[in-house]
Amino acid sequence: GRKWTKICSLDAELANRTVLIRGRAQTIRAVGKKISFLVVRRLSATVQCVLTVKEGLVSAQMLRFCNSLTRESIVDVVGVVTTPTEPIKGTTQQVEVQVRKLYCISRAVPNLPINIEDAARSEEDIKEAEMAGDKLVRVNQDTRLNNRVLDLRTPANQAIFHLKCSVIDIFRNCLRSEDFVEIHTPKLLAGASEGGASVFKFDYMGQPACLAQSPQLHKQMAICSDFERVFVIGEVFRAENSSTHRHLCEFIGLDVEMEINEHYFEVLDIVDRLFVTIFDYLNEKCKKLLDAINKQFPFKPLKYLQKTLLLTFEEGIKMLKDAGVEIDPFGDLNTESERTLGRLVLEKYETEFYILHRYPSTVRPFYTMPCYDNPLYSNSFDVFIRGEEIISGAQRVHEPDLLTARAEACGVDVSTISAYINSFRYGTCPHGGFGVGLERVVMLFCGLSNIRQTSLFPRDPQRLVP
Ligand code: 4AD
């Protein structure tokens, strides 16, 4: 029943009080034979604990025990808080703890594959140290991901996953306030929902089966069952056989599907309100997290408008052509032209967040509704942050015969999705929705360079462990 104090709350108000703290041994520095400094860390807070050999304070034996501690071991410290006259360098807390008792709760191995202080350094810090003649260790991405449990202990990495959690919170709260209901869709499916190439196949009790590439078919079937507005938060799987900075084989999909009364712009309105709310919240309420990320991975705040910019695909093509980019007006945009368009949009409209809509029908999935006025185009859209796609969405075909014809034309094995197609034979409201890649949102909002940084234990073509 002793009272524990968190390292982050150690301050001058606790001066002269005896506290009990738990944390990791970050560094141990012996000064002569009578004094040692032990920096104890919990998350991003650090405090200097001082051991002084003296009658009534610390025994010589305890000092030896302290000096033999390994980095990252979990320790409990009982000590008295003091306030030194000089500012303390290298710790977040500006008080010291004069140690009375020290326990090692769990010992780390002596040779860690990653030193947390090295892993937490910014590129700028490393360069500065190198200029000054020090050689600092640069921890490369593979070493980080191979030893992710250690890598995740850095302040920036902690912040990334707290921020990711906040995005989910706001996504959920915002949609709940707009009368959406959260549903859960199966991840074990009989057929592919987004085309055959990027699907993981497996044996399901003797039947061929797939891992869900998205909740697409079942979120639409929920609309057929009169759940007027739904959303899904969950893992989705893509057998992406190329290693890029923005593709994972498993990611979190934030999916939305809703009835449409008159126009698919109703869906775009939700995208606008949802994301402006998310960005505003992150900027206003998550400053500490953003600062922690910025410290290691510096980035400029996202530029976005309070009413999201809406451009047609044709307008986008024209902007690219005017800038001298050769482009097929009915083809899809490749990564490079998406980036270029992002730069052009930023120059012209001063935003790094925008919606591009009315894509050519041929570059969209079979379930996409063609435009009523010109079926060469479709009621579909992509959404971009800093020139990279984070969302794709559309109004859906809710007419079963047209849906079958479109599926066949796109080479989809209709027999594997007959239950889906039949769902539209019992009367269905017009509807539409979209799918968001959560890891991409976090990566691009924070200007990070690799999507693996925003997945706790990322899965890519080369990586199935840890
Ligand atoms: O563009 P996608 O494939 O669209 C769908 O899944 C549709 N069912 C959505 C809809 O409702 N019409 O995927 C949606 C989003 C992409 O915009 C992207 O942000 C993300 O999911 N995404 C990936 N993220 C990480 N790794 C991958 N391999 C991804 N593939 C797509």
Side-chain angles (χ1 to χ4, degrees):
R2 279 202 83 145
K3 204 166 159 277
W4 293 79
T5 305
K6 287 193 173 211
I7 294 180
C8 61
S9 54
L10 287 173
D11 60 18
E13 274 182 30
L14 292 169
N16 302 321
R17 298 258 284 275
T18 301
V19 292
L20 168 61
I21 58 172
R22 173 168 291 179
R24 294 187 180 280
Q26 175 155 293
T27 54
I28 303 115
R29 187 163 55 94
V31 179
K33 292 208 168 98
K34 302 250 158 172
I35 296 179
S36 283
F37 295 100
L38 166 67
V39 173
V40 181
R41 182 188 88 240
R42 191 68 224 160
L43 304 174
S44 49
T46 47
V47 68
Q48 175 146 282
C49 300
V50 188
L51 288 90
T52 313
V53 177
K54 204 173 171 186
E55 187 71 42
L57 290 179
V58 165
S59 67
Q61 193 187 0
M62 195 195 280
L63 195 81
R64 279 198 299 280
F65 171 68
C66 172
N67 293 346
S68 74
L69 283 173
T70 47
R71 284 177 174 228
E72 295 298 303
S73 293
I74 300 283
V75 294
D76 286 357
V77 175
V78 177
V80 178
V81 176
T82 54
T83 49
T85 41
E86 305 258 304
I88 310 170
K89 276 195 211 143
T91 59
T92 58
Q93 305 314 113
Q94 286 305 304
V95 293
E96 286 181 334
V97 176
Q98 305 300 327
V99 178
R100 296 290 188 272
K101 290 184 184 146
L102 171 65
Y103 308 91
C104 180
I105 302 302
S106 167
R107 197 177 178 82
V109 295
N111 295 309
L112 297 174
I114 290 181
N115 175 356
I116 306 304
E117 285 173 297
D118 289 340
R121 284 199 175 96
S122 69
E123 192 55 31
E124 207 178 328
D125 276 357
I126 298 177
K127 282 195 180 134
E128 246 172 50
E130 280 173 349
M131 295 235 277
D134 294 345
K135 193 96 190 104
L136 293 189
V137 179
R138 231 190 219 94
V139 188
N140 74 31
Q141 178 149 287
D142 265 340
T143 309
R144 288 178 188 279
L145 296 181
N146 289 340
N147 301 285
R148 190 66 162 158
V149 169
L150 287 171
D151 181 41
L152 287 170
R153 291 180 191 171
T154 62
N157 277 347
Q158 288 285 317
I160 288 170
F161 291 94
H162 281 85
L163 197 82
K164 189 173 178 181
C165 173
S166 290
V167 175
I168 294 179
D169 272 353
I170 316 157
F171 179 83
R172 181 177 273 128
N173 292 343
C174 186
L175 289 174
R176 292 292 291 140
S177 74
E178 303 247 15
D179 295 330
F180 283 78
V181 57
E182 181 167 5
I183 58 166
H184 300 89
T185 53
K187 306 295 179 257
L188 310 178
L189 305 182
S193 62
E194 307 290 338
S198 67
V199 68
F200 283 108
K201 297 190 173 140
F202 70 100
D203 177 88
Y204 185 77
M205 320 273 176
Q207 289 178 60
C210 299
L211 286 181
Q213 296 158 297
S214 75
Q216 184 64 38
L217 309 186
H218 292 87
K219 68 177 179 174
Q220 283 190 256
M221 287 159 82
I223 297 294
C224 297
S225 319
D226 280 349
F227 289 94
E228 300 164 317
R229 302 178 138 201
V230 299
F231 68 97
V232 189
I233 300 175
E235 285 76 7
V236 290
F237 306 91
R238 304 279 171 107
E240 300 281 356
N241 210 359
S242 62
S243 288
T244 77
H245 76 283
R246 60 177 192 158
H247 285 96
L248 292 167
C249 291
E250 179 176 344
F251 63 93
I252 307 292
L254 307 177
D255 267 80
V256 171
E257 200 67 24
M258 60 190 269
E259 290 183 6
I260 291 173
N261 290 324
E262 288 171 34
H263 200 284
Y264 80 105
F265 277 25
E266 292 157 32
V267 182
L268 300 183
D269 279 342
I270 293 289
V271 173
D272 167 50
R273 282 204 292 279
L274 185 57
F275 276 82
V276 171
T277 305
I278 291 177
F279 299 152
D280 283 351
Y281 185 96
L282 295 181
N283 284 330
E284 283 159 24
K285 301 272 164 51
C286 301
K287 284 205 174 77
K288 276 194 178 152
L289 299 178
L290 295 173
D291 285 348
I293 298 168
N294 233 315
K295 220 169 153 195
Q296 184 171 5
F297 308 109
F299 67 95
K300 291 211 178 88
L302 182 74
K303 281 195 178 168
Y304 61 98
L305 306 172
Q306 285 297 316
K307 180 76 193 149
T308 304
L309 175 69
L310 190 58
L311 290 174
T312 63
F313 185 84
E314 275 182 293
E315 286 170 304
I317 293 287
K318 182 165 184 308
M319 284 174 74
L320 283 167
K321 277 201 169 145
D322 290 348
V325 179
E326 271 193 42
I327 194 137
D328 171 3
F330 286 96
D332 209 352
L333 297 179
N334 62 23
T335 314
E336 198 40 55
S337 36
E338 285 177 351
R339 283 236 177 95
T340 309
L341 187 58
R343 278 195 294 275
L344 296 171
V345 168
L346 175 60
E347 276 165 27
K348 185 162 173 192
Y349 299 100
E350 294 183 13
T351 178
E352 294 172 292
F353 177 72
Y354 72 98
I355 304 174
L356 195 64
H357 75 120
R358 266 180 84 97
Y359 272 69
S361 291
T362 48
V363 303
R364 304 303 285 198
F366 72 92
Y367 49 71
T368 309
M369 182 68 96
C371 291
Y372 302 117
D373 60 334
N374 181 356
L376 287 178
Y377 289 100
S378 59
N379 288 354
S380 66
F381 59 93
D382 276 3
V383 183
F384 297 88
I385 296 183
R386 304 190 205 260
E388 297 199 50
E389 177 201 322
I390 57 150
I391 298 179
S392 76
Q395 180 175 353
R396 324 298 185 183
V397 176
H398 60 277
E399 206 284 297
D401 295 332
L402 176 59
L403 191 58
T404 309
R406 292 245 332 145
E408 278 168 352
C410 291
V412 174
D413 179 358
V414 176
S415 70
T416 63
I417 56 165
S418 54
Y420 163 73
I421 292 180
N422 287 339
S423 306
F424 301 101
R425 299 193 193 281
Y426 316 124
T428 312
C429 280
H431 61 283
F434 55 92
V436 185
L438 175 60
E439 286 79 4
R440 285 198 189 171
V441 173
V442 177
M443 167 178 80
L444 294 163
F445 183 81
C446 299
L448 296 168
S449 58
N450 197 301
I451 196 166
R452 290 161 186 77
Q453 290 174 276
T454 61
S455 175
L456 202 65
F457 293 101
R459 294 292 179 254
D460 67 25
Q462 278 80 44
R463 186 171 290 284
L464 194 55
V465 286

